[in-house]
Every structure is written in C-alpha cells, then in structure tokens.
Amino acid sequence: MAGQQVAAIFVGRTMADVRISVIVPVYNEEANLALLRQRLTAVLEGLAGPAYEVIFINDGSRDKSIDILHAFAAEDARLRYVNFSRNFGHQIAVWAGLDRARGQAIAIIDADLQDPPEVIADLYARLQQGYEVVYARRRQRQGESWLKKATARAFYRTLASITSVSIPVDTGDFRIVDRRVVEVLRQMKEHNKFIRGQIAWVGFRQTYVEYDRHSRHGGTTGYTYGKMLRFALDGITSFSDFPLKLASYMGFFVAAASFLMGIYALYGRFIRKDYVPGWASLMLVMLFLGGVQLFSLGIIGEYLSRISQDVKNRPLYVVADESPEAAVGPAKQGL
Ligand code: UDP
Ligand code: MG
C-alpha cells in the first residue's frame, strides 16, 4: 500500500480518486464487449471498489462496437470511451488510453478475452508488493495458428538477441504499470510505438506473472500479417541499430570477398593464363552484390521513414468523439 500512497503524489486534482485505470483497445469487438465489461468490472470492483475507470478506445471499428461503448458510457461514467476517426492501429489506441489514464495503477488488456480479466487481480497484487511494472507472461497460447505462434516466437527471440534493452519474451501488452511509468512514457515522443519495448526501457522494478492465453471469445483477429510485420519492424528499429550496422558488416564482408576474388582473377589471367569467360560466376557475383545492396538500402529506408515521421510530427491520432469525463485527464492531445 505504501507504494500506492507515494504514487498519489504524482496525481493531481480528482485524479487521485482513481486507483486503477484499464485501457482496452477495441477493433471490431462487438461480440466480446458485453462479457468483457461484466468480467472486468467484477474484478475491478473487488480490487478498487468504485475507484476505477475503464478507457475503451474504438480504433475505427467497422461493426457496432462504438454503439455498445456509447451505451456503456451512458450507463456508467467509469466506462469511458475514445472514438478514433479511423483505424490507427493497436499501439496508437493503447497510447490514447495512456494519454488519458488517471489511475495510480494502469492496466492494458485486449478486448477479445484472450487475456482473462481475472489475471488483473494477480498483476495488481504483485504491483503492490513494490514493483512498477508487472507484465503477464503467456504460459501457453490457445487457438492461434502455428504460423502466428512460430513467427511471434522467432520475432521475440531475434529482438531479444539484437537489442540492448531486455524486452521480455512471450509477453504482449497485457500488464499493469505504476503511474510513474506512464509519466515517463508520455515523454517518449517517437511516433512508431512499441509499447512493451518502451516500458522495458523505462526500467524501475519489473516482474511478471504467468498466465494461460485463451482463444478469442468471438470475432476474428484484427492483426493481419501486414500489421504484424510493421509492428515487428517498429520494435526492431526502435530498439536496435543492429540492422543498420548489418548493412555495413555485409558491405565489409562482400568487399573483402570481392577483393580476394579480384586477386584470384588476376592470378588466373596473368600467371596461370587459364581463364574461361565465366558467365555463371559473373552472374552469381552480380546478383549477390545487387541483393546485398538492395537489402542495405531497404534497411536504411526503414529507419529513414521512421525518422521522417518523427520530423513531420503529426498528431498520433484523431479523435472523433470521446466521453466527457476524459476531458479531465492530463495531456488531452496525442503527443
Ligand atoms: N486492435 C486495435 N486495432 C487494430 C487491431 C487490433 O485496437 O488495428 C485491438 C483488438 O480489438 C484487441 C487487441 O487490439 O483488443 C489485440 O488485437 P487482436 O486480438 O486482433 O490481435 P491478436 O490477439 O490476434 O494478436
Ligand atoms: Mg487477440
């Protein structure tokens, strides 16, 4: 409890009233929202009595999700919503929640009930033992294709091996953090958000609780392979310069190899005088060099495009409407 009181110093005005904020990004989740609300509020009432808020971010859903969220907010002022003008992506949706969350503890959870809301109780209990970040680590994942699991696994292992920040493997954004962590996150201005990496970067005392990830309650995944790839590239480019360096390592390696080949060619031409027009080897070298060059350019392009987005400094997201209570929160605008 002591940790919570300290955290309250960072909280101004009426915000101190909120003990737990829960952020829920929503994209085409009409089939899940009613059950989610029921399970979530049951857990939160047990933990915080009335002193909680849930912030749903409707990320341009094409189904009736927003109507359901409007109805929730009308019935209960603790169920806030933010309605984006279009689909901005899961990480940005979570960010809009972080911009508005007023709680001393702030949890992030998916809307599809893959992350059981009841686990928040475990996360919160651990947080109160004096941690600033408690993430939920998947013991197993149900109902997801082997390709998704295999690519996710490969991605987290690769990322772990090339970043200096230790981003925990087998975790999503399902976690609870102390308000202090969110204060720091709000100062991180990059546009390409990789929230789990950013939270790892913040530091403080971090720990985890294990849980079983269920299959979706209803609906289908909003994370296409295209979105996953972009997300993976955001993670890598935000937290590692290794790919940039890889381009120069490869250049170095290829240059050394071509130098040796050059010596060999001269040796064949002038000393052994045994040379044949080597179409195949020439093609090989050309294609290889072309490949390395394009790959290196691509890497540079990936970083450059992100730098250009940061330089443009557009708003992160556009809000069509949101529940009035949200106006009380700090940092109303994205960024
Ligand atoms: N989501 C979102 N915007 C998107 C895609 C997904 O806000 O463009 C939300 C979605 O409603 C869910 C969470 O992000 O609450 C995780 O998405 P999903 O379950 O589709 O991903 P998966 O669990 O399959 O990785
Ligand atoms: Mg899901």
Side-chain angles (χ1 to χ4, degrees), residues 320-334:
D321 61 303
E322 65 180 301
S323 40
E325 291 83 2
V328 186
K332 253 205 86 194
Q333 276 298 309

Side-chain angles (χ1 to χ4, degrees), residues 24-316:
V24 190
V26 174
Y27 179 62
N28 298 340
E29 303 283 7
E30 62 183 6
N32 304 322
L33 288 174
L35 183 60
L36 175 73
R37 172 187 177 177
Q38 197 187 324
R39 284 174 59 181
L40 204 51
T41 50
V43 172
L44 291 173
E45 255 150 43
L47 293 175
Y52 67 85
E53 65 179 359
V54 183
I55 308 173
F56 296 95
I57 298 90
N58 179 44
D59 184 17
S61 299
R62 281 187 292 264
D63 64 359
K64 295 200 161 37
S65 295
I66 188 59
D67 301 334
I68 299 172
L69 296 181
H70 280 152
F72 283 2
E75 287 165 26
D76 183 345
R78 288 168 302 188
L79 306 178
R80 297 161 53 179
Y81 71 89
V82 180
N83 187 23
F84 278 0
S85 63
R86 64 169 170 86
N87 179 251
F88 281 88
H90 165 250
Q91 296 286 293
I92 303 295
V94 172
W95 203 264
L98 292 170
D99 275 341
R100 289 163 176 77
R102 297 172 294 184
Q104 292 161 19
I106 292 143
I108 305 169
I109 189 170
D110 283 356
D112 57 5
L113 294 165
Q114 281 193 285
D115 309 327
E118 295 72 26
V119 173
I120 291 179
D122 303 336
L123 297 174
Y124 189 62
R126 203 93 172 96
L127 192 80
Q128 295 204 302
Q129 289 167 8
Y131 292 93
E132 275 81 20
V133 177
V134 185
Y135 53 88
R137 192 166 151 167
R138 307 185 263 252
R139 209 179 289 132
Q140 52 168 318
R141 310 172 69 148
Q142 293 168 4
E144 287 176 299
S145 72
W146 69 265
L147 184 61
K148 177 149 195 162
K149 282 190 240 182
T151 47
R153 202 183 148 80
F155 167 65
Y156 287 116
R157 298 300 183 282
T158 313
L159 190 64
S161 66
I162 63 173
T163 49
S164 43
V165 178
S166 67
I167 299 169
V169 296
D170 300 326
T171 59
D173 287 323
F174 184 29
R175 58 188 60 210
I176 196 163
V177 300
D178 187 88
R179 177 163 193 87
R180 293 167 68 188
V181 174
V182 175
E183 302 282 350
V184 180
L185 287 177
R186 286 180 187 151
Q187 294 171 37
M188 296 174 80
K189 300 292 185 198
E190 63 254 53
H191 276 60
N192 294 280
K193 303 295 185 190
F194 187 69
I195 294 169
R196 62 201 71 167
Q198 291 174 261
I199 291 178
W201 181 91
V202 170
F204 292 125
R205 285 155 297 182
Q206 309 208 353
T207 188
Y208 65 90
V209 163
E210 288 197 314
Y211 80 113
D212 295 323
R213 190 160 162 93
H214 293 255
S215 39
R216 257 181 173 276
H217 171 66
T220 52
T221 177
Y223 253 102
T224 57
Y225 281 105
K227 278 183 185 171
M228 276 170 55
L229 183 66
R230 233 172 300 148
F231 177 63
L233 283 172
D234 279 338
I236 291 171
T237 53
S238 308
F239 288 97
S240 173
D241 286 337
F242 178 77
L244 270 179
K245 291 186 184 133
L246 186 70
S248 39
Y249 295 152
M250 275 191 318
F252 181 76
F253 172 77
V254 170
S258 4
F259 180 70
L260 292 178
M261 283 211 41
I263 292 180
Y264 178 74
L266 289 174
Y267 169 79
R269 173 69 181 77
F270 292 110
I271 297 176
R272 281 178 62 200
K273 302 223 190 293
D274 159 33
Y275 56 95
V276 278
W279 184 84
S281 56
L282 205 66
M283 280 306 277
L284 259 169
V285 170
M286 265 184 51
L287 290 175
F288 178 60
L289 277 177
V292 168
Q293 284 170 356
L294 284 180
F295 186 66
S296 310
L297 273 178
I299 290 173
I300 295 168
E302 290 293 337
Y303 282 86
L304 206 63
S305 78
R306 284 165 177 81
I307 294 172
S308 115
Q309 286 187 34
D310 285 346
V311 171
K312 277 186 246 160
N313 201 18
R314 291 186 183 149
L316 265 185

